[in-house]
C-alpha cells in the first residue's frame, strides 16, 4: 500500500512539497472515507440474509456472531453411523489408519456418529466415494448402492451442520483487478475498448484455474509503474489529447493462417485474406498505413506471378486499391520445393521488394474505427505444374509464384498532422457538461469527476474524493492550457487510486474477530458485477445498492436476470468458461505436418469459435448445463465442417448444424479444440485427455506426478510399432506410475477414436483398429464417446456439481475449501427442479452465504 502511494506521488507530482499537498495519503484517506459510509449494524445485516437464503439458514443476531470454526455437533443416526463404520472397517481402514496414513488420511479414529467434528476429512472421503476411485482397482469394493448410501448419509450430516452454522469463508481483504477486469472497467467507465495486454503485465493463474483469484493477484513495483503509464495513455486517448509524438503500431497476421477465403465479417463480401483491425485513432489527423506481404523462407514474396488487387478500407470505405504482382521482370526461379538456382537479377529484386511501396497516408477522424486490408477475390483455375496444398509448418517453405498472395502485417502510424478532435464515444461519456466561461470550469469539472469517481470506486463519492481529484484538475488546466487537459490529469489520478484498482472488503469495526457477518449492499454489488461481467457495477445495480435494497430477494433475482440478459454477460463465456475448459491454451495447439498435413491456424480459430458460440447459445437460451455433454448440435463453418466430415457447409460464416451421428460427435467432449489441446503435435494423449476430464468434467483433479517419472516409450518392446494404449500399459508397470494412471488413463482411452486434432478415426497411425473401451476407476466399462457421455449423465447432479464448484470459485475469487462443499450441494439440489439451467446455478451461487457473507479476521 505504501508502495502505491509512493509511486503515485512520484509519477504525478513535481517536487516533494507539491507531492505532499497534491497527493493525499491515498490508502488512509480511502479507508477513512469508506468507514464513514453508513453500514448496517451486525444485527441488522443478519436479517435480510435469513429471508434471502430461506431454507439454507436459520439465523439470529447471536447466530451470526458465532465463530465458524466451532460448529455444534450434527450427529448421524446410530444405524447410519454403524453402517458407515462397517464399510470403512471392511474396505478402507486397512490402508487408511493411524499406522500407515496412506494418502495422509486415517479413518480408523474418525467418529462416524459426528462427521461435523472432522468435516475436512469426511469431505475427502465423500469425494472418493462419489468418484468411485477408492478402494483402488484390484481391491475389494462395495457395490454401487453402498457407495451412494454412505456418501449420501455423510453429506446429509455435514450439510445439516453447515445449515445451522454457515461458514462463508474469508475472501482476501485486497483483491486487485486482473487485466481482463481492468480492460472491461475502462470500457464501461470511459466508453473506450482498448487492448491492455501491451500496457499491463499478465496475471498468474491460481490452482483454481482462474486468474481472478485474489491470492495470486499481487502488486509489485513493476506493476505499479505499468498501471501509472497505462493511466496516462488511456486518459489521453479517452479525452482526445494528442499524443506527445507520432507512434507506430504493427499488427501481424499469423503465419499459419491461410488467406484463401474471407477472413472476417468486418471485411467485404467477395474479399479474401488480409485482416480487420479495430483501432482507436486518438485525434483527427493524418495517419500512415503500411502493408507487408508474406514471404517464404528465402524472403520471396508469395504469389507475385499474377496480379492481385489489395484494398485498404476504413469502416468499410475504400481508401486505396493497390495492384501488386503480375509484372514481367525476367526469368523466375524454378518452381520447386528445394534450394534451386536463382532467377534473373530483375526478378529477384522484384519478388524481394514488391511490397516496399504498399503504404497510404489518409486523414481519419478520431475514435474507434475498423481498418480492413484484404484482396479482391478472384475465381480461377491455376495452370501449369500441380502444386501440393501447403499447410502447417510447411507454409514457411512454400515457393508459390502463381498462387495467392497473403498479408503479413499492417502498421498504423501517426498522427502526423493534427486537425482537431471529433466527438467520440469516450468524449461523450466523459464530458457530460461544457463550461460556458472560465468561472464555470470548476463546477463542471466537479460534476464530471464526481460522476466518474462514483462508478470507478463502486460507492457514493465523498467530499474527500472530490478534494483529492480537483487539485489535479487545476494543475492539468494550468499546465495543459485547456479544460480538457485538466480533466485528463484528474482522470489519470482516478485510474491509479486504490479504490479503483483494488476491490477492498474491510471488516466492520463492530464485528467480533472470527465472526460471520453480512457484506454491505455495495460490496455485494461489486461481487455481482465482477462475477457476471468482469467489470464495474452499472447505474441500476449501483442505485439498488445505495438504496440498501439489493439484497432483497426479489430485487436480487431481478438484477441477476437483467445482468445475464446484458451483452456484457458474454464475460461468463470469454473469461469463466474459457479458463474452466482451458480454451485459452488453444493458441498453443500445433499439428505436425507429417501426421497432420492439413493443419493450419484457420482450423484452430474455427475450434475456438465453435466452442464459444456453443457456450454462448447455452447461456443466452438458459439451457441445462447437462446439454454441455448431451447436445446433438454444434456450430461450424466450411473449414470445420470439412474437418468433422459434415457435408453441405460452405463459406467462412458459422452456423448451427445438427450432428448426424452422436456416437462420433456431440457435446463438449466432441469439440475438436478441446481434443486438440489435450494432445501432442504428433499424436493423441490419453493421459492429457484423462487429466483434463478429471479436472474440468469430474471435479476430481489428480495429484501432481512424482519427480523423475520415466517418459512414455516411443515404441514397444523390440522397437516394434505399437498403439498408445499398449505403450501406456507398459508404462504402468512401474509401481510409481501405476496408481495415478489407473484413474487418469481410462477416461482418456474412451476418446481415442479422435486423433490429435479431434478428427474421427477408426484406425491409429499404424493402421491398427482403435480400441476405445475403458474400465473406469469405479469399475464401470465404457466404450467410446457415447459410453463415456452416458456414464457422466447417469448421475446428472455430479456434473452439475462440477459446474457449480467452478462457478463458485470464480465468483468468490478464491479456491474452494471443505466448508464450501455443503454450499455446492445445496445449490445443486435447488437447481434440480429447473433441470440445472444456467440461471438456477448462477442464482444459487449469488444467493449463497458464501457470496453474501464473510468471516471476519482474527486480528
Amino acid at each position: 500500500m505504501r508502495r502505491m502511494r509512493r509511486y503515485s506521488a512520484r509519477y504525478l507530482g513535481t517536487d516533494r512539497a507539491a507531492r505532499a499537498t497534491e497527493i493525499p495519503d491515498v490508502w488512509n484517506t480511502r479507508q477513512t472515507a469508506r468507514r464513514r459510509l453508513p453500514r448496517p449494524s451486525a444485527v441488522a445485516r443478519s436479517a435480510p440474509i435469513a429471508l434471502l437464503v430461506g431454507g439454507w439458514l436459520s439465523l439470529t443476531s447471536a447466530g451470526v456472531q458465532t465463530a465458524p470454526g466451532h460448529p455444534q455437533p450434527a450427529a448421524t443416526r446410530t444405524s447410519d453411523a454403524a453402517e458407515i463404520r462397517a464399510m470403512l472397517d471392511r474396505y478402507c481402514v486397512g490402508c487408511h489408519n493411524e499406522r500407515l496414513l496412506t494418502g495422509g488420511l486415517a479413518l480408523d479414529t474418525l467418529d462416524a456418529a459426528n462427521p461435523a467434528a472432522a468435516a475436512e476429512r469426511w469431505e475427502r472421503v465423500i469425494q472418493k466415494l462419489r468418484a468411485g476411485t477408492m478402494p483402488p482397482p484390484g481391491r475389494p469394493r462395495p457395490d454401487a448402492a453402498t457407495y451412494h448410501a454412505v456418501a449420501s448419509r455423510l453429506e446429509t450430516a455435514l450439510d445439516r451442520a453447515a445449515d445451522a452454522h454457515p461458514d462463508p469463508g474469508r475472501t482476501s481483504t485486497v483483491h486487485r483487478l486482473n487485466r481482463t477486469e481492468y480492460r472491461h472497467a475502462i470500457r464501461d467507465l470511459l466508453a473506450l475498448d482498448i487492448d491492455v495486454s501491451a500496457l499491463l503485465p499478465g496475471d498468474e493463474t491460481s490452482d483454481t484455474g482462474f486468474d481472478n483469484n485474489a491470492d495470486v493477484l499481487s502488486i509489485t513495483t513493476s506493476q505499479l509503474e505499468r498501471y501509472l503509464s497505462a493511466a496516462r495513455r488511456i486518459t489521453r486517448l479517452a479525452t482526445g489529447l494528442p499524443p506527445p509524438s507520432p507512434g507506430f503500431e504493427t499488427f501481424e497476421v499469423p503465419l499459419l493462417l491461410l488467406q484463401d477465403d474471407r477472413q472476417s465479417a468486418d471485411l467485404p463480401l467477395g474479399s479474401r485474406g488480409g485482416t480487420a483491425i479495430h483501432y482507436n485513432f486518438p485525434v483527427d489527423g493524418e495517419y500512415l498505413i503500411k502493408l507487408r506481404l508474406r514471404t517464404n523462407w528465402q524472403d520471396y514474396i508469395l504469389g507475385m506471378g499474377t496480379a492481385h488487387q489489395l484494398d485498404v478500407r476504413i469502416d468499410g470505405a475504400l481508401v486505396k486499391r493497390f495492384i501488386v504482382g503480375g509484372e514481367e521482370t525476367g526469368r523466375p526461379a524454378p518452381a520447386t520445393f528445394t534450394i534451386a538456382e536463382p532467377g534473373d537479377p530483375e526478378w529477384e529484386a522484384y519478388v524481394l521488394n514488391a511490397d516496399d511501396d504498399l503504404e497510404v497516408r489518409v486523414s481519419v477522424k478520431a475514435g474507434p474505427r475498423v481498418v480492413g486490408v484484404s484482396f479482391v477475390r478472384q475465381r480461377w483455375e491455376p495452370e501449369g505444374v500441380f502444386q501440393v496444398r501447403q499447410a502447417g509448418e510447411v507454409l514457411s517453405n512454400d515457393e508459390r509464384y502463381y498462387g495467392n498472395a497473403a498479408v503479413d502485417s499492417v502498421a498504423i502510424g501517426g498522427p502526423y498532422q493534427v486537425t482537431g478532435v471529433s466527438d467520440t464515444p469516450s468524449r461523450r461519456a466523459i464530458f457530460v457538461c461544457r463550461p460556458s466561461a472560465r468561472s464555470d470550469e470548476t463546477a463542471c469539472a466537479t460534476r464530471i469527476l464526481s460522476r466518474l469517481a462514483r462508478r470507478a470506486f463502486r460507492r457514493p463519492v465523498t467530499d474527500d474524493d472530490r478534494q483529492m481529484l480537483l487539485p489535479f484538475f487545476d494543475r492539468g488546466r494550468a499546465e495543459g492550457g485547456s479544460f480538457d487537459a485538466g480533466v485528463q490529469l484528474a482522470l489519470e489520478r482516478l485510474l491509479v487510486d486504490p479504490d479503483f484498482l483494488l476491490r477492498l472488503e474491510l471488516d466492520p469495526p463492530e464485528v467480533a474477530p472470527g465472526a460471520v457477518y453480512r457484506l454491505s449492499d455495495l460490496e455485494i454489488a461489486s461481487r455481482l458485477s465482477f462475477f457476471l461481467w468482469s467489470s464495474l457495477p452499472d447505474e441500476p445495480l449501483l442505485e439498488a445498492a445505495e438504496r440498501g435494497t439489493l439484497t432483497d430477494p426479489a430485487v436480487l433475482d431481478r438484477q441477476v436476470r437483467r445482468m445475464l440478459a446484458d451483452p456484457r454477460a458474454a464475460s461468463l463465456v470469454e473469461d469463466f468458461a474459457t479458463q474452466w475448459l482451458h480454451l485459452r491454451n488453444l493458441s498453443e495447439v500445433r499439428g505436425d505436418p507429417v501426421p497432420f498435413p492439413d493443419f493450419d491456424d484457420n482450423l484452430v480459430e474455427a475450434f475456438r469459435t465453435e466452442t464459444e458460440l456453443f457456450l454462448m447459445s447455452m447461456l443466452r437460451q438458459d439451457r441445462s448445463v447437462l446439454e454441455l455433454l448431451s447436445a446433438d448440435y454444434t456450430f461450424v463453418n466450411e473449414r470445420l465442417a470439412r474437418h468433422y466430415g459434415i457435408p453441405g457447409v460452405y463459406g467462412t460464416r458459422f452456423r448451427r448444424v445438427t450432428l448426424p451421428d452422436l456416437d462420433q460427435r456431440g457435446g463438449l467432449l466432441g469439440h475438436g479444440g478441446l481434443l486438440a489441446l489435450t494432445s501432442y503435435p504428433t499424436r493423441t494423449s490419453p493421459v492429457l485427455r484423462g487429466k483434463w476430464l478429471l479436472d474440468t468434467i469430474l471435479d476430481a483433479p489428480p495429484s501432481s506426478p512424482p519427480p523423475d517419472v520415466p517418459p512414455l516409450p516411443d515404441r514397444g518392446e523390440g522397437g516394434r510399432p505399437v498403439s498408445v494404449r499398449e505403450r501406456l500399459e507398459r508404462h504402468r508397470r512401474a509401481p510409481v506410475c501405476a496408481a495415478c494412471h489407473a484413474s487418469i488413463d481410462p477416461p482418456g482411452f474412451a476418446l481415442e477414436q479422435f486423433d490429435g486434432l479431434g478428427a474421427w478415426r477408426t484406425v491409429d497411425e499404424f493402421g491398427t483398429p482403435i480400441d476405445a473401451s475403458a474400465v473406469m476407476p469405479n469399475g464401470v466399462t465404457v466404450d467410446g464417446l457415447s459410453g463415456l457421455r452416458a456414464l457422466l449423465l447417469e448421475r446428472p447432479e455430479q456434473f452439475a456439481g462440477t459446474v457449480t464448484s467452478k462457478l463458485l470459485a470464480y465468483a468468490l475469487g478464491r479456491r474452494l475449501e471443505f466448508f464450501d462443499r455443503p454450499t455446492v450441494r445445496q445449490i445443486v439440489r435447488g437447481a434440480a427442479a429447473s433441470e440445472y439451467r444456467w440461471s438456477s446455478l448462477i442464482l444459487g451461487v449469488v444467493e449463497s452465504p458464501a457470496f453474501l457473507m464473510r468471516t471476519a479476521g482474527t486480528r
Side-chain angles (χ1 to χ4, degrees):
M1 295 183 180
R2 290 191 298 271
R3 183 185 298 153
M4 171 68 86
R5 183 168 65 248
R6 183 169 62 250
Y7 274 80
S8 299
R10 189 183 74 182
Y11 185 73
L12 296 173
T14 55
D15 54 47
R16 181 172 300 180
R19 289 196 297 267
T21 57
E22 293 174 345
I23 300 183
D25 186 326
V26 173
W27 295 89
N28 292 338
T29 301
R30 300 275 66 74
Q31 294 183 20
T32 300
R34 288 168 63 86
R35 290 193 181 101
R36 278 201 292 268
L37 294 174
R39 296 181 62 111
S41 67
V43 174
R45 278 194 299 272
S46 68
I49 290 296
L51 295 173
L52 185 62
V53 298
W56 290 43
L57 307 172
S58 178
L59 299 177
T60 64
S61 58
V64 172
Q65 294 291 328
T66 300
H70 303 85
Q72 295 179 2
T76 57
R77 292 183 305 176
T78 303
S79 58
D80 292 346
E83 183 176 347
I84 294 170
R85 174 47 57 195
M87 193 211 75
L88 294 179
D89 289 344
R90 180 176 180 184
Y91 298 105
C92 307
V93 169
C95 296
H96 297 286
N97 54 62
E98 289 287 352
R99 183 173 61 86
L100 296 178
L101 276 178
T102 304
L105 181 65
L107 302 179
D108 53 337
T109 57
L110 284 183
D111 183 3
N114 182 21
E120 183 172 8
R121 281 189 283 175
W122 284 115
E123 288 290 356
R124 290 179 62 188
V125 171
I126 291 171
Q127 185 181 41
K128 298 297 184 182
L129 293 175
R130 288 301 189 194
T133 56
M134 285 293 164
R139 300 294 300 272
R141 300 166 68 93
D143 56 30
T146 302
Y147 270 114
H148 176 66
V150 172
S152 296
R153 285 162 184 160
L154 288 171
E155 289 171 350
T156 299
L158 293 172
D159 293 352
R160 189 162 54 242
D163 187 64
H165 301 278
D167 183 357
R170 180 169 175 80
T171 52
S172 177
T173 299
V174 178
H175 192 157
R176 175 175 62 81
L177 303 190
N178 65 22
R179 196 161 62 177
T180 298
E181 293 167 340
Y182 184 91
R183 175 179 182 173
H184 291 173
I186 295 297
R187 176 200 64 195
D188 294 344
L189 182 67
L190 303 178
L192 180 65
D193 191 3
I194 182 172
D195 183 5
V196 299
S197 58
L199 304 178
L200 300 176
D203 301 305
E204 295 183 28
T205 300
S206 74
D207 55 4
T208 65
F210 300 114
D211 62 7
N212 71 340
N213 188 300
D215 291 339
V216 299
L217 292 171
S218 59
I219 303 175
T220 65
T221 298
S222 61
Q223 285 173 323
L224 295 177
E225 292 175 338
R226 298 283 288 275
Y227 276 118
L228 292 165
S229 62
R232 169 162 290 185
R233 179 169 177 179
I234 288 168
T235 54
R236 290 183 71 90
L237 184 60
T239 55
L241 296 188
S245 61
F248 231 84
E249 193 168 0
T250 301
F251 303 87
E252 295 183 348
V253 181
L255 172 64
L256 303 186
L257 190 72
L258 293 180
Q259 299 185 35
D260 298 335
D261 295 302
R262 186 185 182 206
Q263 293 298 108
S264 168
D266 292 320
L267 296 173
L269 294 170
S271 68
R272 71 156 186 87
T275 185
I277 302 164
H278 292 260
Y279 190 80
N280 280 288
F281 290 89
V283 293
D284 301 350
E286 187 177 81
Y287 294 85
L288 174 68
I289 301 175
K290 184 171 181 59
L291 316 179
R292 285 292 183 186
L293 300 181
R294 184 176 291 170
T295 64
N296 72 350
W297 68 285
Q298 293 172 300
D299 287 334
Y300 288 169
I301 298 174
L302 302 178
M304 291 296 97
T306 54
H308 305 276
Q309 295 175 308
L310 179 59
D311 292 348
V312 178
R313 298 173 182 269
I314 295 180
D315 288 343
L318 183 65
V319 172
K320 178 74 174 180
R321 173 167 289 175
F322 298 97
I323 306 297
V324 60
E327 297 184 17
E328 296 294 336
T329 56
R331 179 183 60 82
T336 68
F337 296 100
T338 60
I339 298 177
E341 62 180 280
D344 287 346
E346 297 85 358
W347 181 87
E348 290 279 332
Y350 178 64
V351 296
L352 290 172
N353 304 294
D355 60 357
D356 282 356
D357 297 326
L358 298 182
E359 61 181 51
V360 58
R361 283 181 176 263
V362 58
S363 295
V364 185
K365 296 290 187 182
R369 310 284 176 195
V370 178
V371 178
V373 177
S374 61
F375 295 93
V376 176
R377 186 169 188 174
Q378 297 175 335
R379 294 288 191 176
W380 49 275
E381 192 67 26
E383 298 178 350
V385 178
F386 172 75
Q387 300 292 305
V388 177
R389 177 180 180 270
Q390 301 294 289
E393 300 291 348
V394 187
L395 274 176
S396 62
N397 300 330
D398 201 348
E399 296 182 12
R400 292 179 300 168
Y401 181 52
Y402 293 102
N404 283 334
V407 175
D408 179 67
S409 66
V410 178
I412 302 175
Y416 294 104
Q417 293 181 8
V418 178
T419 58
V421 181
S422 295
D423 187 28
T424 65
S426 295
R427 287 175 60 80
R428 288 194 294 272
I430 294 170
F431 296 106
V432 293
C433 62
R434 278 289 179 184
S436 56
R438 181 69 181 266
S439 59
D440 299 331
E441 288 186 353
T442 299
C444 181
T446 301
R447 179 183 172 191
I448 290 171
L449 297 175
S450 296
R451 174 179 168 273
L452 293 174
R454 174 173 170 269
R455 288 289 311 279
F457 298 161
R458 287 90 70 184
R459 58 168 175 77
V461 179
T462 66
D463 289 338
D464 285 341
D465 297 323
R466 299 183 185 92
Q467 294 306 313
M468 177 266 293
L469 293 171
L470 285 175
F472 287 92
F473 166 77
D474 294 336
R475 173 180 153 195
R477 177 69 176 85
E479 295 178 354
S482 69
F483 177 78
D484 292 7
V487 172
Q488 180 273 325
L489 190 62
L491 290 180
E492 188 177 340
R493 173 63 182 83
L494 178 72
L495 294 189
V496 298
D497 195 277
D499 271 10
F500 172 69
L501 292 176
L502 307 177
R503 294 161 55 190
L504 302 174
E505 292 181 348
L506 305 175
D507 295 337
E510 70 273 13
V511 174
V516 173
Y517 68 93
R518 185 177 77 84
L519 295 169
S520 71
D521 280 32
L522 289 168
E523 289 167 330
I524 292 171
S526 283
R527 280 196 177 191
L528 187 57
S529 64
F530 282 103
F531 171 32
L532 301 182
W533 291 346
S534 295
S535 186
L536 310 171
D538 65 353
E539 191 63 29
L541 186 61
L542 203 53
E543 286 181 354
E546 290 174 345
R547 289 194 303 266
T549 61
L550 179 58
T551 49
D552 178 88
V555 173
L556 187 59
D557 184 278
R558 285 197 303 269
Q559 289 289 343
V560 171
R561 295 185 185 278
R562 177 187 68 83
M563 295 174 72
L564 287 175
D566 191 282
R568 284 170 287 188
S571 174
L572 284 172
V573 171
E574 297 165 357
D575 300 318
F576 163 71
T578 56
Q579 292 186 81
W580 163 38
L581 299 173
H582 305 178
L583 273 177
R584 288 186 175 180
N585 297 338
L586 264 180
S587 58
E588 301 173 8
V589 167
R590 289 291 179 266
D592 188 279
V594 175
F596 305 115
D598 288 338
F599 173 80
D600 51 50
D601 275 349
N602 307 66
L603 181 61
V604 176
E605 286 305 308
F607 284 156
R608 187 188 311 278
T609 304
E610 174 196 23
T611 304
E612 288 180 351
L613 289 176
F614 178 76
L615 293 166
M616 192 67 72
S617 72
M618 290 278 183
L619 185 65
R620 291 284 183 234
Q621 299 171 27
D622 196 19
R623 312 292 294 182
S624 168
V625 297
L626 302 181
E627 285 194 24
L628 293 173
L629 302 178
S630 66
D632 63 352
Y633 62 90
T634 191
F635 294 82
V636 297
N637 63 357
E638 181 179 353
R639 177 69 183 90
L640 190 56
R642 183 171 71 247
H643 186 69
Y644 285 170
I646 299 175
V649 178
Y650 303 99
T652 57
R653 181 181 64 84
F654 278 79
R655 74 236 42 196
R656 175 172 164 162
V657 297
T658 300
L659 295 167
D661 187 349
L662 289 182
D663 288 336
Q664 297 186 11
R665 196 77 59 179
L668 284 175
L669 300 185
H671 279 213
L674 301 178
L675 294 161
L677 64 83
T678 52
S679 299
Y680 291 116
T682 57
R683 63 167 176 84
T684 63
S685 173
V687 176
L688 293 180
R689 287 178 178 174
K691 180 180 183 301
W692 180 86
L693 285 164
L694 289 173
D695 184 26
T696 63
I697 304 299
L698 298 171
D699 196 23
S703 57
S704 300
D708 302 324
V709 175
L712 185 68
D714 293 329
R715 290 179 172 268
E717 296 180 357
R720 64 185 181 89
V722 294
S723 66
V724 174
R725 177 187 286 267
E726 292 176 274
R727 281 180 273 166
L728 279 170
E729 288 174 353
R730 181 183 172 191
H731 183 71
R732 286 199 301 271
R733 294 175 189 171
V736 71
C737 304
C740 292
H741 282 275
S743 60
I744 295 174
D745 294 353
F749 285 143
L751 299 178
E752 267 294 276
Q753 285 177 304
F754 298 99
D755 70 14
L757 291 180
W760 181 260
R761 61 178 183 170
T762 55
V763 296
D764 64 14
E765 59 268 32
F766 304 115
T768 306
I770 296 291
D771 179 8
S773 63
V775 179
M776 302 298 283
N778 61 1
V780 176
T781 300
V782 300
D783 191 2
L785 169 66
S786 58
L788 179 60
R789 182 197 301 124
L791 177 66
L792 293 172
L793 293 174
E794 200 172 87
R795 300 190 65 82
E797 69 279 359
Q798 288 191 307
F799 179 64
T802 296
V803 179
T804 302
S805 296
K806 302 297 183 179
L807 281 169
L808 186 60
Y810 179 78
L812 298 178
R814 64 167 174 83
R815 62 176 296 175
L816 296 192
E817 304 291 349
F818 70 93
F819 50 76
D820 295 307
R821 305 316 302 182
T823 296
V824 171
R825 290 191 288 267
Q826 183 66 26
I827 293 171
V828 172
R829 284 194 293 268
S834 60
E835 300 178 326
Y836 308 108
R837 295 185 183 275
W838 278 100
S839 62
S840 62
L841 294 181
I842 290 170
L843 277 166
V845 168
V846 172
E847 294 172 352
S848 69
F851 192 86
L852 298 171
M853 305 173 77
R854 185 169 182 259
T855 302
T858 56
R859 291 197 284 271

